[in-house]
Amino acid sequence: MRISELARESGTPLATVKFYLREGLLQPGERTSATQAIYDDRHLRRLRLIRVLVDFAGLSLAQVKVVITALSEDNVLAAAALAHRNLAPQVEESVETDRATAALQRHGWFVDPTSPSVRQLAAVLHAAESLGLPMPPELFDVYAEAAHQVATAEVSGIVTGNVEQAVNEVVIGTVLFEPVWGALRRCAQADVSRRLWEELEDG
Amino acid sequence: MRISELARESGTPLATVKFYLREGLLQPGERTSATQAIYDDRHLRRLRLIRVLVDFAGLSLAQVKVVITALSEDNVLAAAALAHRNLAPQVEESVETDRATAALQRHGWFVDPTSPSVRQLAAVLHAAESLGLPMPPELFDVYAEAAHQVATAEVSGIVTGNVEQAVNEVVIGTVLFEPVWGALRRCAQADVSRRLWEELEDG
């Protein structure tokens, strides 16, 4: 299809499609003349992916580029590492990670204190403290155990099957399942609150 | 202290402090003359809160306003409901929530199908499907159980103690502990991947 059809078919404004092409987010079409190129289903899928990453996962275009680069890795763990390193919110290098590292090691985890995720964790815990509302250690432990259960299910699920599928799953899963968690946690809080409320009314 | 000191003390540019005052995010100081007002520790705490909400939780100013409104509720469950309803990413009303609702009911949860969290959940699950990478039902179940454990610990922790503290905890917790989860999940994935990798090397 021609670029105008690609835009129409994907529901993306033509100017945006051209912008993604210039930025290298959308792979070039196959040239048919000096001024024309044709596009196919792979371009449609890529546009759909960009839209989901921007709309649902709230990624910046720079982060979308990281995801797209990771998707072309031919090693699952390398792709996962790329996604993990670059999709965590960027936190100042100077944040003190000793206590966050110690808390994770207490759970027996391998920890890389220089990883952006550890820095993000340390920064958020510190922010909660600075508001006078530190996360209680027992709650941290519940979070850590829950996160480990989820990670085990996620990572174990991807080591089987073919590499392209696995890379897709791990990269998209890293990005897309975080809002799933946020939504589920809020639904669960509503459920638990309502139960407590009913118990109070009954008692 | 005067407004210039408040700005310096909090590390916030003076123009930003004035903007927060105009927008009603920062409570007015106590007027000492027609052109001057004095500020105290409560203003400093509020500025710190705004900064954490914007920097760590990535909230918009409209969402910060919701948090601040919720913090002045004198009923914990009302504050929590306000936070839950307004802090979920806004998703089109038209999204089909039947399957998400059914999946949650299968876990025995009370579900309000009109809640923004249910809509967000439905929208993200649908987005993953549209990319050809639906979330496997077994993984959804692991997420749901983990979310329920976390919510139980969180909600049970706040029904004791005084109301102001509880409102603070539930509102800030809703906002701030979502990035804690994101960071912990990525740390846990790194731990699980490394274990699997070592097993593969050893095997």
PDB file of all heavy atoms in Angstrom, chain A residues 12-25:
ATOM      1  N   THR A  12      -3.558   6.797  11.671  1.00  0.00           N
ATOM      2  CA  THR A  12      -2.513   7.731  12.107  1.00  0.00           C
ATOM      3  C   THR A  12      -2.450   8.886  11.106  1.00  0.00           C
ATOM      4  O   THR A  12      -2.430   8.639   9.898  1.00  0.00           O
ATOM      5  CB  THR A  12      -1.134   7.017  12.101  1.00  0.00           C
ATOM      6  OG1 THR A  12      -1.279   5.739  12.720  1.00  0.00           O
ATOM      7  CG2 THR A  12      -0.084   7.825  12.830  1.00  0.00           C
ATOM      8  N   PRO A  13      -2.399  10.129  11.570  1.00  0.00           N
ATOM      9  CA  PRO A  13      -2.273  11.234  10.609  1.00  0.00           C
ATOM     10  C   PRO A  13      -1.035  11.052   9.730  1.00  0.00           C
ATOM     11  O   PRO A  13       0.012  10.602  10.216  1.00  0.00           O
ATOM     12  CB  PRO A  13      -2.137  12.472  11.501  1.00  0.00           C
ATOM     13  CG  PRO A  13      -2.716  12.072  12.819  1.00  0.00           C
ATOM     14  CD  PRO A  13      -2.461  10.606  12.958  1.00  0.00           C
ATOM     15  N   LEU A  14      -1.167  11.431   8.445  1.00  0.00           N
ATOM     16  CA  LEU A  14      -0.062  11.263   7.494  1.00  0.00           C
ATOM     17  C   LEU A  14       1.215  11.947   7.986  1.00  0.00           C
ATOM     18  O   LEU A  14       2.319  11.387   7.876  1.00  0.00           O
ATOM     19  CB  LEU A  14      -0.486  11.829   6.126  1.00  0.00           C
ATOM     20  CG  LEU A  14       0.536  11.680   4.990  1.00  0.00           C
ATOM     21  CD1 LEU A  14       0.909  10.229   4.753  1.00  0.00           C
ATOM     22  CD2 LEU A  14      -0.013  12.307   3.698  1.00  0.00           C
ATOM     23  N   ALA A  15       1.060  13.147   8.542  1.00  0.00           N
ATOM     24  CA  ALA A  15       2.239  13.896   9.020  1.00  0.00           C
ATOM     25  C   ALA A  15       2.963  13.107  10.115  1.00  0.00           C
ATOM     26  O   ALA A  15       4.194  13.119  10.196  1.00  0.00           O
ATOM     27  CB  ALA A  15       1.829  15.261   9.556  1.00  0.00           C
ATOM     28  N   THR A  16       2.175  12.390  10.963  1.00  0.00           N
ATOM     29  CA  THR A  16       2.770  11.609  12.044  1.00  0.00           C
ATOM     30  C   THR A  16       3.530  10.407  11.471  1.00  0.00           C
ATOM     31  O   THR A  16       4.634  10.082  11.918  1.00  0.00           O
ATOM     32  CB  THR A  16       1.665  11.132  13.017  1.00  0.00           C
ATOM     33  OG1 THR A  16       0.906  12.268  13.425  1.00  0.00           O
ATOM     34  CG2 THR A  16       2.243  10.450  14.232  1.00  0.00           C
ATOM     35  N   VAL A  17       2.929   9.760  10.458  1.00  0.00           N
ATOM     36  CA  VAL A  17       3.606   8.628   9.813  1.00  0.00           C
ATOM     37  C   VAL A  17       4.945   9.090   9.247  1.00  0.00           C
ATOM     38  O   VAL A  17       5.985   8.439   9.442  1.00  0.00           O
ATOM     39  CB  VAL A  17       2.725   8.023   8.689  1.00  0.00           C
ATOM     40  CG1 VAL A  17       3.497   6.943   7.938  1.00  0.00           C
ATOM     41  CG2 VAL A  17       1.430   7.456   9.270  1.00  0.00           C
ATOM     42  N   LYS A  18       4.937  10.246   8.580  1.00  0.00           N
ATOM     43  CA  LYS A  18       6.181  10.767   7.993  1.00  0.00           C
ATOM     44  C   LYS A  18       7.207  11.093   9.085  1.00  0.00           C
ATOM     45  O   LYS A  18       8.403  10.859   8.919  1.00  0.00           O
ATOM     46  CB  LYS A  18       5.888  12.019   7.159  1.00  0.00           C
ATOM     47  CG  LYS A  18       5.179  11.681   5.847  1.00  0.00           C
ATOM     48  CD  LYS A  18       4.955  12.923   5.007  1.00  0.00           C
ATOM     49  CE  LYS A  18       4.350  12.539   3.646  1.00  0.00           C
ATOM     50  NZ  LYS A  18       3.895  13.742   2.905  1.00  0.00           N
ATOM     51  N   PHE A  19       6.712  11.619  10.194  1.00  0.00           N
ATOM     52  CA  PHE A  19       7.594  11.933  11.322  1.00  0.00           C
ATOM     53  C   PHE A  19       8.246  10.658  11.862  1.00  0.00           C
ATOM     54  O   PHE A  19       9.463  10.603  12.084  1.00  0.00           O
ATOM     55  CB  PHE A  19       6.783  12.647  12.413  1.00  0.00           C
ATOM     56  CG  PHE A  19       7.531  12.866  13.685  1.00  0.00           C
ATOM     57  CD1 PHE A  19       8.532  13.831  13.776  1.00  0.00           C
ATOM     58  CD2 PHE A  19       7.239  12.105  14.814  1.00  0.00           C
ATOM     59  CE1 PHE A  19       9.226  14.023  14.964  1.00  0.00           C
ATOM     60  CE2 PHE A  19       7.925  12.301  15.994  1.00  0.00           C
ATOM     61  CZ  PHE A  19       8.926  13.253  16.077  1.00  0.00           C
ATOM     62  N   TYR A  20       7.448   9.602  12.043  1.00  0.00           N
ATOM     63  CA  TYR A  20       7.995   8.330  12.547  1.00  0.00           C
ATOM     64  C   TYR A  20       9.047   7.765  11.582  1.00  0.00           C
ATOM     65  O   TYR A  20      10.037   7.173  12.000  1.00  0.00           O
ATOM     66  CB  TYR A  20       6.879   7.299  12.739  1.00  0.00           C
ATOM     67  CG  TYR A  20       5.930   7.592  13.887  1.00  0.00           C
ATOM     68  CD1 TYR A  20       4.667   6.996  13.927  1.00  0.00           C
ATOM     69  CD2 TYR A  20       6.286   8.430  14.934  1.00  0.00           C
ATOM     70  CE1 TYR A  20       3.782   7.249  14.972  1.00  0.00           C
ATOM     71  CE2 TYR A  20       5.414   8.691  15.979  1.00  0.00           C
ATOM     72  CZ  TYR A  20       4.166   8.097  15.997  1.00  0.00           C
ATOM     73  OH  TYR A  20       3.299   8.336  17.021  1.00  0.00           O
ATOM     74  N   LEU A  21       8.805   7.949  10.275  1.00  0.00           N
ATOM     75  CA  LEU A  21       9.781   7.482   9.276  1.00  0.00           C
ATOM     76  C   LEU A  21      11.095   8.243   9.423  1.00  0.00           C
ATOM     77  O   LEU A  21      12.169   7.641   9.464  1.00  0.00           O
ATOM     78  CB  LEU A  21       9.240   7.709   7.861  1.00  0.00           C
ATOM     79  CG  LEU A  21       8.296   6.642   7.292  1.00  0.00           C
ATOM     80  CD1 LEU A  21       7.670   7.142   5.998  1.00  0.00           C
ATOM     81  CD2 LEU A  21       9.037   5.324   7.061  1.00  0.00           C
ATOM     82  N   ARG A  22      10.992   9.564   9.530  1.00  0.00           N
ATOM     83  CA  ARG A  22      12.199  10.394   9.677  1.00  0.00           C
ATOM     84  C   ARG A  22      12.959  10.044  10.941  1.00  0.00           C
ATOM     85  O   ARG A  22      14.183  10.020  10.976  1.00  0.00           O
ATOM     86  CB  ARG A  22      11.822  11.883   9.758  1.00  0.00           C
ATOM     87  CG  ARG A  22      11.570  12.550   8.425  1.00  0.00           C
ATOM     88  CD  ARG A  22      11.685  14.082   8.556  1.00  0.00           C
ATOM     89  NE  ARG A  22      10.831  14.642   9.605  1.00  0.00           N
ATOM     90  CZ  ARG A  22       9.542  14.950   9.453  1.00  0.00           C
ATOM     91  NH1 ARG A  22       8.922  14.733   8.300  1.00  0.00           N
ATOM     92  NH2 ARG A  22       8.855  15.465  10.456  1.00  0.00           N
ATOM     93  N   GLU A  23      12.211   9.746  12.027  1.00  0.00           N
ATOM     94  CA  GLU A  23      12.835   9.449  13.314  1.00  0.00           C
ATOM     95  C   GLU A  23      13.350   8.013  13.403  1.00  0.00           C
ATOM     96  O   GLU A  23      13.927   7.624  14.411  1.00  0.00           O
ATOM     97  CB  GLU A  23      11.828   9.682  14.454  1.00  0.00           C
ATOM     98  CG  GLU A  23      11.465  11.133  14.664  1.00  0.00           C
ATOM     99  CD  GLU A  23      12.633  11.935  15.242  1.00  0.00           C
ATOM    100  OE1 GLU A  23      13.243  11.460  16.206  1.00  0.00           O
ATOM    101  OE2 GLU A  23      12.941  13.009  14.691  1.00  0.00           O
ATOM    102  N   GLY A  24      13.063   7.221  12.378  1.00  0.00           N
ATOM    103  CA  GLY A  24      13.525   5.834  12.397  1.00  0.00           C
ATOM    104  C   GLY A  24      12.686   4.916  13.266  1.00  0.00           C
ATOM    105  O   GLY A  24      13.078   3.790  13.561  1.00  0.00           O
ATOM    106  N   LEU A  25      11.531   5.372  13.727  1.00  0.00           N
ATOM    107  CA  LEU A  25      10.657   4.509  14.523  1.00  0.00           C
ATOM    108  C   LEU A  25       9.902   3.545  13.611  1.00  0.00           C
ATOM    109  O   LEU A  25       9.599   2.418  13.984  1.00  0.00           O
ATOM    110  CB  LEU A  25       9.645   5.348  15.321  1.00  0.00           C
ATOM    111  CG  LEU A  25      10.227   6.260  16.381  1.00  0.00           C
ATOM    112  CD1 LEU A  25       9.146   7.149  16.968  1.00  0.00           C
ATOM    113  CD2 LEU A  25      10.869   5.425  17.490  1.00  0.00           C
TER     114      LEU A  25
END
